[in-house]
Amino acid sequence: MILTHYTRTLDGVAGILENGFAWAPLPRNLIQDLVPSHDWSATEPQQYGLISFTEQPVPALRRHLETFGRYGIQVAPDWAQRQSATRVTYLERRGPLFDALKGLFAIGYANVKKGIRYPEDGLWNMACVYKSAAAALASPFWAHLLTVYEYLEPAENSYQCEWRVVHPTGVGNLSRDTSDRIRNVSPPTGWGKYLHVLPVRPADIHGFVCPVADREHFIARLPSGYRNKTIATYDG
């Protein structure tokens, strides 16, 4: 199976190849339904670094292209495996699976709140949203549930056929504004080289996707080491 990451511009494709995939905060607003007793307005557990791909064959659904962009980067299967890419679980906000997860999250939330020994301390309270803090300070069980949550998505987005690569430890202070986030890693500097991007090499890339009318412009914008890759085209 080939996974594809779509982006809106040719510069975006070139930036990923030159600098790496930018880790993104992707709040999906399910945690409010699973644990309604907590105020999640400031932050939620899917905001510590994810990269999204789709398993849709070329061409992706028009709805997908309109949402994420017309230009695709197809990663090699072995790269996806090394990054622990995992298929998303689409969750309805009702029914037996939702009820079971809500029960487990209620138990886990009670456990982590009990484990927070200094509730006025901001670092300790990070255990509610940040799985590394939960595991180290308050509740390994809650940390496991936060890992489950990282791969949940509302059922209404199931058309996306999404897979995710999740930052192994999590990275904070990721801007919710996509333009800001891309600007901050174009190119990344300092610790951003290690924290804010997931680098790729030519061997990590299977090929590309673009509209047939843009093929020549697409090739011209690719860094030289990637111009021998397969380019799948579609009308649109």
Side-chain angles (χ1 to χ4, degrees), residues 89-111:
T89 296
Y90 290 97
L91 184 65
E92 298 278 0
R93 290 182 172 88
R94 55 183 173 76
L97 178 58
F98 176 82
D99 291 342
L101 283 173
K102 187 173 181 179
L104 286 171
F105 272 77
I107 295 169
Y109 181 71
N111 188 259

Side-chain angles (χ1 to χ4, degrees), residues 14 17 22 53 59 81 84 114 131 150 153 180 182 191 232 234:
L17 300 177
F53 300 85
Q81 185 176 31
S84 299
K114 183 178 180 180
K131 65 182 180 183
E150 288 172 337
E153 177 75 8
D180 284 347
I182 299 303
W191 283 105
Y234 61 92

